Amino acid sequence: MTDSTNQIPDRIRLSFVVNGTKRTLDLVPWTTLLDALRDHLGLTGTKKGCDHGQCGACTVLVDGRRINSCLTLAVMKDGAEITTVEGLAQDGTLHPLQQAFIDHDAFQCGYCTPGQLCSAAGLLSEGRAKDADEIRELMSGNLCRCGAYPNIVAAIQQTMSWP
Amino acid sequence: MINFQYSCASDVTEAIGLLAAHSGAKLIAGGTNLIDLMKESVEKPTRLIDISRLPLRQIEETGDGGLHIGALVPNSDLAYHPLIEERYPLLASAILAGASAQLRNMASVGGNLMQRTRCAYFYDTATPCNKRTPGSGCSAVDGLNRNHAILGTSAFCIATNPSDMSVALAALDAVVHIAGPSGERTMGMREFHRLPGDTPHVDTNLERSEIITAIELPPRGFAGNYSYLKIRDRVSYAFAIVSVAAALEFDGHAIRKARLALGGVAHKPWCSVEAEAALQGQPATTDHFARAADLLLQGARTYAHNGFKVELARRAVMRTLTQAANASPQSQAHKKIA
């Protein structure tokens, strides 16, 4: 049996919890998680950079783990818990990483920043980075074309010693 | 992105049945390579079979002292698993040399074995490529082939296998567990990937309706003397130009067992039993390492832009063997090459 390429598949109903709120969507299967967040839920904080998993601008946390949302199909994350940059601050208080990025001027244009923040949040919960070299290595999936890397590393280091 | 139908398999049998029933179907687990290729219209499956919810996520000890690793274990979970860190640090190191933290969180063990070449012509649908479109020709043979293979090539394809994990698995002599319509079977890692020959569109010896269910590591882990050295154009998040997995076991000053595999130089992880045998019973000296490197690189053939790879590989093999012998494995975070 061969699937006809002309046949439009049915939309698939799926639900996930995004930044603490349950959201239900009817999506065609080729919708990426990135497009679902931006185009269907209006959460445009997550950025589309390369759309090929090479830049990290689309990084979000799924069930607490950082992933590239551009290479993830939304239908495959039915039931998941997703945190985007919009969900990092709690009750009007910035996430320690967000404050540290401000303190260290860890951005210029800001386009990569949502991905940097979500990736750094994942890095902190993984607990594998113990020094600047390890931060650099484990943040290498997030490119910054402005070259704010030294300040990004400093911001993450500040957060790692957060009380 | 291309359009496709979607099915979610609830067990291995259903996944195999769906694969067999739909000739244009492909399995998806982590999706890190497949989704990218679908966005480029290089891969055009008419249906994706989601296997990400199958119960293949366990890492268990086998009766003989090895490890059985479910095909859906994410790369990062495998690299950071206490038993892998303790008994198979070569595998942990190779995994952490590849991709980025995000991609390693997504990518499955089975998917890592199935990832396709990063040859730029394979990705560029405007150019001929025998791997993408059989019979269309190879643009790399007379094109920009700096990153291409020097061993096991054919006139039809000079692409390299991009995996770091597979290089370590080949060095460790891992075994691939496979399930298909006619039952289960196993295949050695060194036999799993193919050379291009005149059918470079076939990357592996997996049959079309088969699925990888697990990887098995033998008891011997070479935890004392190993190193994975990856040479690339930037120090992180780049594919290898040349990589080496080396593992040694000593009997006093003599090498009792040696394992060597090269990445970035062939259509599969490149191994040579002659090179490994040449080290056996010998002391860990530069002369013997050079002899092993020469045996491993025997038959190398270069193209217009990748001639440097032979000497680079030769020196990398000697360096990695030295690191292994000195029990000072290459760190993947601190980049200085010891």
Side-chain angles (χ1 to χ4, degrees), chain B residues 167-218:
Chain B
V167 180
L169 288 177
L172 292 168
D173 249 340
V175 173
V176 186
H177 286 247
I178 295 162
S182 47
E184 297 179 6
R185 63 175 179 140
T186 58
M187 200 187 295
M189 244 327 271
R190 294 184 179 204
E191 285 74 57
F192 184 78
H193 293 98
R194 296 174 71 255
L195 289 179
D198 58 3
T199 53
H201 59 289
V202 187
D203 290 350
T204 73
N205 287 314
L206 201 67
E207 300 290 334
R208 213 203 74 80
S209 297
E210 288 184 320
I211 168 174
I212 300 169
T213 56
I215 305 291
E216 187 179 331
L217 292 173

Side-chain angles (χ1 to χ4, degrees), chain A residues 73-93:
Chain A
L73 295 178
V75 290
M76 291 177 69
K77 294 302 164 195
D78 186 25
E81 238 178 83
I82 295 157
T83 304
T84 68
V85 69
E86 290 94 339
L88 289 181
Q90 295 293 319
D91 305 323
T93 306

Side-chain angles (χ1 to χ4, degrees), chain B residues 76-152:
Chain B
S76 48
D77 290 17
L78 183 59
Y80 292 134
H81 193 279
L83 289 175
I84 298 293
E85 287 184 325
E86 184 193 323
R87 293 197 216 158
Y88 305 93
L90 172 64
L91 178 58
S93 185
I95 292 170
L96 294 175
S100 67
Q102 290 96 315
L103 291 168
R104 292 192 294 267
N105 277 343
M106 303 167 71
S108 67
V109 166
N112 191 315
L113 260 57
M114 297 304 291
Q115 67 177 310
R116 311 215 60 194
T117 185
R118 265 43 175 212
C119 172
Y121 298 108
F122 176 66
Y123 267 77
D124 181 358
T125 54
T127 62
C129 169
N130 287 323
K131 186 179 279 298
R132 175 171 26 80
T133 312
S136 63
C138 174
S139 302
V141 169
D142 294 314
L144 296 172
N145 46 38
R146 175 179 178 272
N147 297 332
H148 288 74
I150 54 172
L151 288 156

Side-chain angles (χ1 to χ4, degrees), chain A residues 52-53 70 128 137 140 142, chain B residues 36 39 85 102 236-237 335:
Chain A
H52 289 283
C70 75
R128 290 282 163 172
E137 173 61 21
S140 71
N142 293 83
Chain B
D36 189 28
K39 288 184 180 186
E85 287 184 325
Q102 290 96 315
S236 184
Y237 200 14
K335 301 295 181 176

Side-chain angles (χ1 to χ4, degrees), chain B residues 243-325:
Chain B
S243 71
V244 188
L248 299 171
E249 233 180 58
F250 284 94
D251 201 352
H253 290 294
I255 295 168
R256 178 168 37 209
K257 211 72 191 161
R259 295 285 178 72
L260 268 179
L262 283 177
V265 296
H267 203 252
K268 59 184 291 187
W270 192 258
C271 302
S272 153
V273 285
E274 292 80 17
E276 291 167 339
L279 288 166
Q280 223 160 294
Q282 305 298 334
T285 63
T286 311
D287 288 353
H288 289 110
F289 292 167
R291 167 101 182 110
D294 289 339
L295 284 167
L296 188 56
L297 290 162
Q298 212 165 48
R301 179 189 167 178
T302 62
Y303 298 82
H305 306 291
N306 70 356
F308 72 99
K309 274 196 173 189
V310 179
E311 184 60 22
L312 182 65
R314 186 173 179 274
R315 294 185 193 194
V317 167
M318 293 173 63
R319 197 71 162 262
T320 315
L321 281 168
T322 305
Q323 292 179 326

Side-chain angles (χ1 to χ4, degrees), chain A residues 12-18 21-27 33 41 63 74-82, chain B residues 53:
Chain A
I12 296 170
R13 172 149 298 188
L14 60 108
S15 299
F16 31 53
V17 175
V18 183
T21 306
K22 184 172 175 184
R23 311 296 296 259
T24 300
L25 294 168
D26 294 301
L27 297 174
L33 178 58
L41 296 176
D63 297 327
V75 290
M76 291 177 69
K77 294 302 164 195
D78 186 25
E81 238 178 83
I82 295 157
Chain B
R53 292 171 198 265

